Amino acid sequence: MSVIAWSWILMVFFIGLMLYLGYAGMKKTKNADDFATARSSYGPIALGLAVCATTASGATFMGIPGTAYTSGFPSLWYPMIYPIGIYGGMLLTAKMVKQMGDKFSNRTIPEIVGERFNSEFLRVGLALLSLLLIFYIVSQLVAAALMFQTMMGLSYQAGLWLTAIVLGIYLVLGGSHSDILTDAVQGFLMLIIAVMITVMFFTGFGVDGGVTAVNDAITAKNPQGGWDTLFIEGHNTYGSAWLVFLILIAHIPFGVLPHIGNKFFALKNGKQMKVFLSFCIVGGALLPMMALGGLLGAAVIPGTLESSDAVIPALFIEVFPPFAAALMAVVVLSAILSTGDGLVVSFSQIFANDLYRKTFAKNNPDKEKVERNSLIIGRVAVVACLGLGILLAYNPPQSLAMFLWIGVGGMVSGLAGPLAIGALWKRANKQGAISSFCVGVISYAVLYMGWIPGLEAITNPFAASGYSILAAAPVMILVTLLTKPMPKEFIDNIYGTEMAVPDSKTISH
């Protein structure tokens, strides 16, 4: 059978499994808190797989290999550096997020930050800023549509609709439970393929002459892409050690973006945090090795691909029999859905929790009605979010890896001070957090959009984010030191070690 025929067979099975897991998630979803957080429901390995899968998006399996395909070895700085930033940031913040989420029944990262600093401004501001994640969602829909186009012969638009429909069904059914159950399975498949790609590269699979021949083939197409080139002169992402350092800085708050940080609530017990984070670090280091597939593809695939983001599916078609190549389509879709579903759930909670439950209905005495409405709003928002995503994705962006950072850059710039510093420094206060948030967000907008007269826009979002974080962090510290500390009783309540961690069934709603 052909690759397309096998792709359809495997894809029907895979989509059926995702919908079944969505049904299983629905059976676990009894209320709005279940839909938003799946609180205290999963062990460290299953949740670790889900977090790794969520962090490694369609960009990891398509965009990053695509960049390696076109730019060569210097582009490996990104997959080597970003896991250090992301999982290093998780080590700094995950424990506090989990403890506060369980103690105060928080459901979102904006709510956590608002609780930590007793600030409605920060909670609402971060919730509204989270709307920028629609760019991230769009990039996942585009990646899925390109995969369906390459591997299954569908039109781009048909692939877009199919992806949104599958996501919509299982997320409306089970929310965060469906998100985590499907992501755990998807993460397992993704890790297998990442290890396979790594072995293929270092053995020079499909190339006569091994890794050396891969390098020769890359330099023949791109003289600046060889392994003896550390930086590409004039490149706005890989042009210098300083730009690479900014990639690291930009990714430190990434691990607590709403679609990742909200998964910490689902860990059964805070005592499992070390095992959970250790697993995340190992898995998180393996998945970016997909970039090596882009390098191998540059040597193996004849001619030039119309879309560099399709290099991994094209590589599998070139070197494997139809069944194995079709299996790759399933894994690429896993990478896309595992990030897309978390993003959509967190996006829905902007409306269901941060704006409705915690803002417009916070004084409503009928808490049961508020919870029912919150669950309904969350499910409706899932559908609305995917509809908007389809609309924005109809004309795909040139580079998925860069496009998704339009929204992410604003988020990490605003989160860096309040959450990363606030998690570690008890002295950090409301005035410092608000100042840092404003400086980070405004700096990113000004730098990325080029609003400073006489200075060009910084089109590299990692650099714009890195500069913004480097501006916001000192502001957090300086303003805090110049203003009064928050009341000792309040801080003791936030950081108290004797936190009673409630069972998910007994949390009052």
Side-chain angles (χ1 to χ4, degrees), residues 388-427:
L388 178 60
I390 289 175
L391 183 65
L392 294 175
Y394 245 70
N395 294 311
Q398 189 172 15
S399 173
L400 294 180
M402 292 298 176
F403 184 76
L404 68 86
W405 263 84
I406 296 173
V408 170
M411 282 296 300
V412 297
S413 299
L415 271 174
L419 193 52
I421 296 177
L424 297 175
W425 192 27
K426 292 183 181 181
R427 174 68 171 82

Side-chain angles (χ1 to χ4, degrees), residues 89-427:
M90 280 189 193
L91 287 172
L92 300 177
T93 57
K95 182 179 178 181
M96 189 197 80
V97 170
K98 169 63 176 171
Q99 286 183 334
M100 285 189 60
D102 285 346
K103 182 174 183 179
F104 300 108
S105 300
N106 298 143
R107 297 178 184 176
T108 66
I109 294 301
E111 190 180 356
I112 287 282
V113 175
E115 191 84 55
R116 164 63 180 88
F117 295 104
N118 192 27
S119 171
E120 287 289 291
F121 175 85
L122 284 172
R123 183 181 59 76
V124 176
L126 276 170
L128 295 176
L129 187 64
S130 298
L131 294 173
L132 290 175
L133 291 178
I134 190 65
F135 291 103
Y136 204 162
I137 293 168
V138 169
S139 74
Q140 306 312 302
L141 294 174
V142 170
L146 289 173
M147 186 279 302
F148 280 122
Q149 188 177 32
T150 303
M151 301 296 290
M152 300 177 66
L154 285 176
S155 69
Y156 171 80
Q157 287 75 19
L160 203 57
W161 278 101
L162 179 58
T163 304
I165 289 170
V166 172
L167 273 173
I169 291 173
Y170 76 71
L171 289 179
V172 167
L173 290 176
S176 286
H177 278 290
S178 297
D179 171 19
I180 293 168
L181 288 169
T182 54
D183 286 3
V185 173
Q186 291 158 0
F188 179 72
L189 294 174
M190 290 159 63
L191 282 173
I192 291 174
I193 296 298
V195 171
M196 183 188 302
I197 287 287
T198 304
V199 172
M200 287 170 60
F201 173 80
F202 284 109
T203 58
F205 190 86
V207 182
D208 293 333
V211 179
T212 302
V214 172
N215 181 61
D216 293 341
I218 289 172
T219 53
K221 292 181 177 180
N222 179 8
Q224 286 190 297
W227 59 28
D228 57 345
T229 304
L230 283 177
F231 306 105
I232 303 173
E233 186 176 352
H235 198 283
N236 70 348
T237 305
Y238 308 114
S240 67
W242 174 249
L243 290 174
V244 171
F245 173 70
L246 291 175
I247 292 175
L248 174 65
I249 296 299
H251 281 83
I252 291 174
F254 191 101
V256 283
L257 285 177
H259 68 296
I260 300 174
N262 67 353
K263 285 184 168 56
F264 302 155
F265 305 141
L267 188 63
K268 278 185 179 179
N269 191 322
K271 295 178 181 179
Q272 299 173 320
M273 187 62 71
K274 287 184 179 179
V275 176
F276 165 69
L277 289 174
S278 297
F279 186 88
C280 286
I281 289 169
V282 174
L286 284 173
L287 289 175
M289 292 301 100
M290 289 300 300
L292 300 176
L295 299 177
L296 186 62
V300 171
I301 301 168
T304 302
L305 291 173
E306 182 178 344
S307 171
S308 61
D309 287 333
V311 62
I312 293 296
L315 173 65
F316 271 62
I317 290 173
E318 186 68 29
V319 300
F320 285 126
F323 174 80
L327 183 61
M328 186 62 219
V330 171
V331 177
V332 171
L333 187 63
S334 294
I336 296 161
L337 295 182
S338 62
T339 298
D341 52 17
L343 283 163
V344 172
V345 169
S346 63
F347 196 89
S348 75
Q349 292 308 302
I350 297 171
F351 302 96
N353 184 74
D354 297 314
L355 297 181
Y356 171 70
R357 174 176 170 261
K358 299 296 292 183
T359 303
F360 300 118
K362 67 177 180 179
N363 295 321
N364 190 327
D366 191 347
K367 298 303 179 185
E368 289 188 7
K369 180 179 179 181
V370 169
E371 290 302 312
R372 287 196 304 271
N373 290 344
S374 180
L375 181 57
I376 293 169
I377 292 170
R379 284 175 162 149
V380 171
V382 164
V383 177
C385 172
L386 289 169
L388 178 60
I390 289 175
L391 183 65
L392 294 175
Y394 245 70
N395 294 311
Q398 189 172 15
S399 173
L400 294 180
M402 292 298 176
F403 184 76
L404 68 86
W405 263 84
I406 296 173
V408 170
M411 282 296 300
V412 297
S413 299
L415 271 174
L419 193 52
I421 296 177
L424 297 175
W425 192 27
K426 292 183 181 181
R427 174 68 171 82

Side-chain angles (χ1 to χ4, degrees), residues 25-35 177 375 505:
M26 181 186 70
K27 294 175 69 176
K28 291 174 175 285
T29 302
K30 308 299 182 185
N31 50 53
D33 190 71
D34 291 336
F35 188 89
H177 278 290
L375 181 57
K505 301 287 190 297

